[in-house]
Every structure is written in structure tokens, then in C-alpha cells.
Amino acid sequence: MAAYLALTGGVGGAKLALGLAQLLGPDELAFLVNTGDDFEHLGLHVSPDVDTLTYSLADLSNPETGWGRRGESWNFIETLKQLGGESWFNLGDRDLALHVMRTQGLRAGRTLTEITREISRKVGIAHLILPMSDDAVRTMVQTVHGSLSFQHYFVRERCEPSVTGFEFVGAVAARANPALATWLARADFAGVILCPSNPYVSIDPMLAIPGIAQQLRSLRVPIVAISPIVAGLAIKGPTAKMMRELNVPQTAVTVASHYRDLLDGFIVDVTDEPLLAQIVGSDLATIAAPTVMITLADKIELARITLEFIRRLKPH
Ligand code: FO1
């Protein structure tokens, strides 16, 4: 057997995660998930990237948004709005139940990892979902209007303020999820996949935790990433807009150089094949593949290509 770890953040990452989970069993694949987007809201602990992955793997996700649940009702948030409560962040009725469970668990002294395991099992997921840390790490988006917590930037301000940088508050002191070391220490551990998530706000918060960065860098197996930028655009979310505001080219080349020395392999979309020549780094293997995932078959196909690619790479 060969085992892999996939790092994932929001909706784009969860698509490939689902494809990988169709090809690899729970003994062969675990997920490390960004929790920099987490926040306390209405007295509840919200963990959007963990939930996006959970709902995707359980086939419960809302296909229109990519986050939240399919067939959701909104009585709670509509009533809250009517009463003049804080209603900018849409928590559906069914989603609310999960949030109450999680928050109760945390208040009772259990870890986010334990609660995530319990909830994921209840919805039929056998794969291990590891929040990046059980300690609080909070992504702050620095903008021309000041520093905003991630969900305030992303949902309340609709990603409108121009971005100048990012801060991952608590990352330096945070411990990596303890189960990560166990997974990586497996004798059959064979590779790491950085899903096509936003590099700045989905993957970087994980790499900002020293324990995670060190463990990944000391691995003797290949690490590959899939570009979330296709033909200068982000499939979903603000990655391309952030690049423009940070004054870097909105291309897959920028993503490759962002991850620089971490990677052994990089996958761009077929439309970006001409860019491959610009991706420098003698040790970096590159391929072009169809990375736009709309159907389940697209997700499985990109997962298959990614695994085939990683299996023939030499570790760094
Ligand atoms: N995204 C939105 O654009 N608007 C929302 O009202 C919203 C609510 C929400 C509730 C629960 C949840 O798990 C995710 C939710 N998201 C919403 C998505 C979330 O902001 C993003 O998926 C991530 O944080 C970015 O990766």
C-alpha cells in the first residue's frame, strides 16, 4: 500500500479531495485542512474549510455554492435578520446543528480534531480529516481599509477591499495536528498533494505553522501542487484578484514560484501549457492536465493524473 496526504482549503481544494477519495481508501489518504478561516460567530465555532471538505466527501454539499449543505433551509438566519441580528454570514438550519455540536464539544474540552472525527464518521466519512492544528490560528487579511479577519473580508466585505498582505495570528505558537506526524511516519508514506486551493489564504496558513513546514520539508517523498489559476483566472474565489492587488502576475507561474523549494512537481491546466517553459527550477517536474473540475468524473480524472504523476517523481 502507498499512503498520501492532501492539503486543502476551500471549495477548489475540496473538489480534488473528493476525486482522490474516490481512488484511495482511508488507509491510503488523509487530509490536512486549513483552519485559518475559522471564527467565533453568534457564539458558535465556525470551521468553513473543514465543513466544506466534510460535506463534499459525504456527498452533502450544495453544488451551487460549494460550501454549506444541499437542500438547506434558512429559517434561522431569516428570523435572525428579522430580529435585527447579525445575519451577514449565512448559516443554514441543518448546518447550524453541526455548529452547535462542534461548539458544545469544544466547550466540554474536546479538541477540534476529535470533534471533526466524530462528525465525519456520523456522516459516513472513513478518511481522516485533520484540522491543521487544534490551536487557534486566525488569518487576517491586510487591506487598504485596514486589517480584516478572514470571514469579514471574504463574506461581509465580499473580497472588495484591495489586499496588501496577510497575517496568520497564532501560527508561530500553534502545534501541528499531532496525528500528522503519525501519518507521515508510515513506512508506506508516498507523497503530498497541495490541492488547487488559494495559496495565500488556504495553504499558507498551514505552512506558517512551524511544525507543519518542518515536517513537510524533512519528508523524503515527492510534493506536488495543482495550480488554482487557469488562464489568468481563479476558478472560484479571490486568488487572481489578490495576485493583481499584490502586483504579481496572475498566472500559474506565480503559484509555482510561490511554493518554490517545497515542490517536486507542479500541474498546470492544459490551457496554460505554453507557460510551462517559464516555470524555472531544474528539480521541478511539470505537466499540463485538464484541471477544471465540474463533474465528478473531472475530479476523479484529475486525481488519477495527479497520482500517476506523483508516483513517477523522484523525491527532493
Ligand atoms: N461564503 C459566502 O460567500 N457567504 C456566506 O454567507 C457563507 C457562509 C458560510 C457558512 C458556513 C460555511 O462553512 C461556509 C460559509 N461560506 C460562506 C463559505 C466560506 O466563507 C468559505 O468557504 C471559506 O472560508 C473560504 O475558503
Side-chain angles (χ1 to χ4, degrees), residues 127-179:
H127 291 89
L128 198 55
I129 298 176
L130 303 175
M132 63 187 192
S133 176
D134 284 321
D135 302 326
V137 178
R138 297 293 174 259
T139 297
M140 300 298 294
V141 183
Q142 290 153 349
T143 78
V144 290
H145 301 321
S147 188
L148 293 167
S149 69
F150 183 79
Q151 297 301 337
H152 284 149
Y153 163 79
F154 192 86
V155 179
R156 199 188 65 192
E157 306 298 324
R158 297 185 191 83
C159 307
E160 280 164 15
S162 192
V163 167
T164 56
F166 308 94
E167 194 189 350
F168 309 112
V169 177
V172 171
R175 281 156 302 167
N177 189 308

Side-chain angles (χ1 to χ4, degrees), residues 253-276:
V253 182
T254 299
V255 181
S257 57
H258 184 78
Y259 293 132
R260 253 178 249 112
D261 47 337
L262 189 66
L263 293 186
D264 303 288
F266 189 63
I267 302 177
V268 302
D269 188 68
V270 279
T271 59
D272 286 329
E273 191 158 13
L275 292 179
L276 287 180

Side-chain angles (χ1 to χ4, degrees), residues 9-11 34 37-38 46-49 51-52 55 66-68 74 87-92 95 99 150-151 154-155 201-202:
V11 175
N34 173 41
D37 297 9
D38 289 22
V46 186
S47 193
D49 288 355
D51 291 350
T52 295
Y55 290 146
W67 54 266
W74 303 95
S87 59
W88 56 270
F89 193 78
N90 293 291
L91 284 176
D95 201 18
H99 283 83
F150 183 79
Q151 297 301 337
F154 192 86
V155 179
V201 293
S202 293

Side-chain angles (χ1 to χ4, degrees), residues 210-265:
I212 295 181
Q214 280 155 17
Q215 288 183 68
L216 294 182
R217 283 178 201 285
S218 62
L219 287 173
R220 292 284 161 264
V221 298
I223 302 180
V224 305
I226 296 92
S227 175
I229 294 287
V230 173
L233 301 169
I235 297 301
K236 190 139 177 40
T239 314
K241 180 178 180 283
M242 287 174 171
M243 287 177 164
R244 191 168 63 242
E245 292 161 359
L246 295 169
N247 290 316
V248 291
Q250 295 165 239
T251 66
V253 182
T254 299
V255 181
S257 57
H258 184 78
Y259 293 132
R260 253 178 249 112
D261 47 337
L262 189 66
L263 293 186
D264 303 288

